[in-house]
Amino acid sequence: MMACWKTVLLCWGGIVAVAAATEWSFRVLPGQAETNAAPLRLGLQAGFLDGRFQPLRAECLAGPDWSVEAEVTLQDVAAIQPVGRAVRVANVGSDRLGIMQITRTLRSGVGHTLCLQGRRISGGGRVWVSFAPVGGAPEDGVTERFSLNGEWRPRGVRMVPQRETAYRCRLSVDPGSVIELSEISLTPDDAEDGWDHEALAALRGMRPGVIGWPAVQGIESYVWYDGVGPQAVRRPAGPSARPEEGHAFGTAEFAAFCRLAGAEPMLRVTVFEPGPADERVPDQAAGIRMAAEWVAYCNATGGHPLALLRQRHGHPEPLRVMRWELTGRGGAGPSAESAAVYAAAMRAEDPAIRVTPVEDTTLLPRSDPYVAAILQRLAAAAPEERTYYAEWYGALGLAYAALDRVAQGRGGLLATPLQPEQVLYRMPRARNMLTDAGALLALINRYPADRPLPVERAQDVADSPLRVQAAWSAEAGGLVVFVYNAAPKPHTVRIGLASLNRRFMLWVSDQLAADLTARRVARTMPVNRIQKAGTAISQTVVCEAAPCSFTRVLVRE
C-alpha cells in the first residue's frame, strides 16, 4: 500500500519509531449472516456493594473512623441498631473540643445533609457542627448548634458547599460534656436510594444491558437466604464495610440497583458438583432446591409461600428477575447434565425465565495476535509498565471479543468481567466519569449491532491488527461499522457501501485512541476521544484509524 504521511510514535519500551500510515479498502456486502436478531449490548457484573462507604454510595464521609482532638476520648459502645455503630465522645479539656473528619470532595451548589442520632450522657449536651473547606477560610463553611438530652433523637444539619473541594467536618461539645453519637452520615440532596446520583448517571450513559451478580472473588457459592429480610437477621456473606454490619446488600437491593443503573438484573447460581463439602449446600438436591426457591422468591405471585415471604420483607411486587446464569465452582461452566437439572427445577417456578451457562452470558477479553504479543511482553515488564498499558489493552480485548460476537450473529445482553467500580472515575469530574473501558462499552452500546453484514477486504494480510465489522442497528436506524486498529501506526480505511444499494447521506464517527506519544506523567496511558462527521453521498466512508484505536461509524440514509 502507498504511504500517505508519516507520524512519529513512542512505542512500548521507550523506542521512538517512524510509522507510515497505510491505506486499506473494505467493502460492505448485502449478504446477511445468520443471527438471533438480538442486539449486542455489553454490561457489567457486581459484587456485594455493602456498606455506606462503598465507592458508589452517596455517603460523603470518608469512613466510620473519626480523628479525635486533644483532651477528647472516643469509645465504641454497643450499637443501637445492627448497622449503626455508636461512639461516646467525652471532652475532658477546658475548651470546646470534639471529633473531626475530612469528607470526600463535595459539589458546589448541591445541598448536603449531615444526619445523626445522639443523646447526652452528662454535661451540657450542646453540639456544634461546623464545615470548612480544606485549605480555605473558615467563613467559607457553616456552623450550627443543637442540644441533646438523655433520649436518642435524630438530628440534621444542612449545608450547601460554595466550593468544589473536600471539607473538614467537626463535631465539638462543651468542656466536661459526654455524649453518644450514632448513624452519622453526610449525603447530597440528589442521592438516589443511597447511591451517588452522578455515578448512576454515568452508568446509565454507558447503557449497560445487564449486570450479573454476585461476583466476589473467594465466594464459591452464594446462599441467597442470608441476603433477604430484615438487616438484623442477615448473616455476612462477604467482606463488609464494617465488622458489625450484616449482609446489607442482598437480592432485593441488587435488583433495585440494576433498575436505577438502567440495566437488567442477572443472578448467578453456583451449581453443586461432587467434591469439597459445603455445609450450606451438602448435596445436589439441596443446591437445586435453593436455586428454585431463589427464582420463586424473586418472581412468584399470589399465595406462593415465597411470594408471601417476600411481601413480609417489604417487597409486595415481584422483583422480575428474568435472566439467570449457571456457574460451577471456580467460575467454570457446569456440566451439561447438572445444568439441565437445575434449569428444569428453576423453570418449574417460572417458565418465562432464561437460564444459561456462564459461557453464554459473559464476554471475556480476546486478543488478536498483535495484542497477544504485546501482553506477553508486558507480563515480564515492571509493574508500572503493566499498569500504564493494562487498562486500554484490556479494553481492546473486550472490543475484539465483541466484534467476534457481532460477526457470528450472536447478540444479546452479555456481562463483562468489569464491575461498576472499575468503569467509573471517583473524582470531582462528573462530566467525564467513565474510565477508558467504560467509554469503550458506551461506544459499543450506544448503537447496538443486531444484523451483521459480511465485509470484504481488498488486501489479504494474515494476522493483521486491523479489522472492520459492519452490522445493521435497528435502534440506530442505520448502519454501524466498527474499525479496530491495534497497531502502533495509523491507517486510512476506505469503507465502500455501494453494494448495499442504499441512499446513505451522512456518517458520524466516534473514536477512542491511545496517545502513544504522551509523556509518562499519568499512571495510565491517556486515551483521546475524537468525533468526526461527513457526507456519504459517494457511498464511500473514509475513516482515519489512529494508532491503537477503536472506532464506531454510524451511517444513515
Side-chain angles (χ1 to χ4, degrees):
M1 288 295 96
M2 184 176 296
C4 299
W5 66 80
K6 291 185 178 181
T7 305
V8 178
L9 297 176
L10 182 62
C11 296
W12 181 78
I15 302 173
V16 177
V18 177
T22 54
E23 185 172 294
W24 301 86
S25 296
F26 294 81
R27 286 195 307 156
V28 180
L29 304 178
Q32 183 174 316
E34 184 178 350
T35 178
N36 59 10
L40 175 69
R41 179 167 279 132
L42 305 183
L44 306 167
Q45 60 179 340
F48 296 114
L49 305 181
D50 272 347
R52 292 191 293 113
F53 306 104
Q54 205 278 339
L56 298 184
R57 301 281 181 171
E59 177 60 64
C60 295
L61 296 177
D65 299 319
W66 292 72
S67 299
V68 182
E69 295 180 318
E71 300 185 285
V72 172
T73 62
L74 192 66
Q75 177 185 2
D76 285 354
V77 297
I80 60 171
Q81 296 179 18
V83 294
R85 183 173 66 178
V87 294
R88 179 170 293 182
V89 180
N91 181 3
V92 298
S94 57
D95 296 322
R96 197 173 70 205
L97 300 170
I99 58 177
M100 183 178 62
Q101 185 170 153
I102 304 299
T103 72
R104 295 179 181 176
T105 299
L106 305 185
R107 288 173 287 139
S108 63
V110 177
H112 291 69
T113 302
L114 179 77
C115 296
L116 55 82
Q117 293 267 1
R119 68 174 178 174
R120 177 179 61 85
I121 302 300
S122 62
R126 291 186 298 178
V127 180
W128 282 262
V129 178
S130 64
F131 290 90
V134 174
E139 56 268 20
D140 291 340
V142 62
T143 300
E144 287 197 18
R145 188 192 73 179
F146 56 82
S147 296
L148 298 175
N149 57 28
E151 302 294 328
W152 284 105
R153 293 185 59 188
R155 295 288 184 175
V157 175
R158 190 172 184 274
M159 56 92 67
V160 180
Q162 300 304 307
R163 299 172 55 186
E164 187 166 310
T165 186
Y167 276 70
R168 183 177 290 103
C169 176
R170 182 171 181 258
L171 281 69
S172 56
V173 296
D174 285 321
S177 290
V178 180
I179 64 171
E180 285 183 0
L181 300 174
S182 177
E183 298 290 329
I184 308 175
S185 66
L186 176 65
T187 56
D189 292 350
D190 58 3
E192 299 184 49
D193 289 345
W195 301 100
D196 183 88
H197 168 76
E198 291 184 312
L200 288 176
L203 289 177
R204 292 174 189 135
M206 199 186 72
R207 299 191 177 187
V210 69
I211 299 180
W213 182 84
V216 176
Q217 187 175 6
I219 301 295
E220 285 291 349
S221 59
Y222 173 59
V223 180
W224 68 270
Y225 308 127
D226 296 337
V228 298
Q231 298 289 334
V233 301
R234 296 191 184 187
R235 286 179 48 175
S240 182
R242 295 186 290 180
E244 65 271 23
E245 286 189 347
H247 183 198
F249 188 80
T251 301
E253 290 81 11
F254 166 69
F257 172 78
C258 288
R259 267 67 193 238
L260 285 173
E264 187 174 341
M266 179 171 66
L267 290 176
R268 177 172 296 132
V269 175
T270 303
V271 171
F272 174 88
E273 298 285 358
D278 188 328
E279 63 175 2
R280 309 301 303 278
V281 190
D283 52 34
Q284 187 179 57
I288 294 171
R289 183 172 61 253
M290 185 170 67
E293 289 178 351
W294 202 3
V295 174
Y297 182 87
C298 292
N299 297 346
T301 59
H304 193 293
L306 286 166
L308 298 177
L309 178 63
R310 186 192 66 239
Q311 293 168 18
R312 287 199 298 271
H313 291 166
H315 308 286
E317 298 299 323
L319 303 181
R320 302 187 310 281
V321 179
M322 307 311 295
R323 292 181 177 270
W324 300 74
E325 67 174 2
L326 301 176
T327 180
R329 292 183 181 273
S335 66
E337 296 79 9
S338 295
V341 175
Y342 268 74
M346 295 166 68
R347 292 194 184 101
E349 294 292 347
D350 185 353
I353 64 173
R354 179 179 178 183
V355 186
T356 50
V358 66
E359 293 96 335
D360 295 335
T361 54
T362 302
L363 183 75
L364 297 177
R366 180 177 178 271
S367 298
D368 67 87
Y370 180 87
V371 172
I374 293 289
L375 295 178
Q376 186 174 10
R377 293 177 61 191
L378 285 175
E384 59 271 15
E385 288 291 311
R386 294 198 299 270
T387 300
Y388 186 74
Y389 291 98
E391 182 179 333
W392 182 239
Y393 277 118
L396 281 181
L398 285 175
Y400 195 80
L403 293 190
D404 279 346
R405 299 281 300 208
V406 172
Q408 298 163 11
R410 298 170 60 207
L413 305 181
L414 297 174
T416 66
L418 297 172
Q419 299 194 17
E421 303 94 313
Q422 296 175 292
V423 299
L424 296 178
Y425 290 114
R426 298 300 296 142
M427 301 179 184
R429 43 188 293 182
R431 293 156 298 282
N432 184 24
M433 288 188 72
L434 289 178
T435 64
D436 298 334
L440 185 136
L441 294 189
L443 203 67
I444 295 173
N445 290 343
R446 174 68 178 174
Y447 302 117
D450 55 353
R451 288 183 292 156
L453 295 172
V455 177
E456 180 181 80
R457 180 162 54 184
Q459 306 84 14
D460 186 14
V461 181
D463 297 336
S464 171
L466 183 68
R467 180 174 180 178
V468 175
Q469 179 61 53
W472 295 111
S473 173
E475 293 188 32
L479 179 74
V480 289
V481 183
F482 298 107
V483 180
Y484 171 94
N485 178 27
K489 62 180 181 179
H491 293 290
T492 298
V493 181
R494 295 187 175 275
I495 306 166
L497 307 176
S499 298
L500 299 179
N501 196 27
R502 305 287 284 268
R503 294 179 59 85
F504 293 115
M505 301 296 292
L506 175 70
W507 61 266
V508 178
S509 71
D510 289 278
Q511 183 176 98
L512 297 172
D515 189 352
L516 301 178
T517 64
R519 294 182 58 190
R520 299 290 291 273
V521 295
R523 188 169 179 267
T524 59
M525 181 168 54
V527 174
N528 297 322
R529 306 181 186 191
I530 306 163
Q531 186 176 77
K532 294 182 179 180
T535 58
I537 297 177
S538 64
Q539 302 301 297
T540 300
V541 173
V542 179
C543 172
E544 304 295 347
C548 204
S549 66
F550 184 76
T551 310
R552 181 206 64 216
V553 183
L554 171 64
V555 189
R556 282 180 170 161
E557 295 180 282

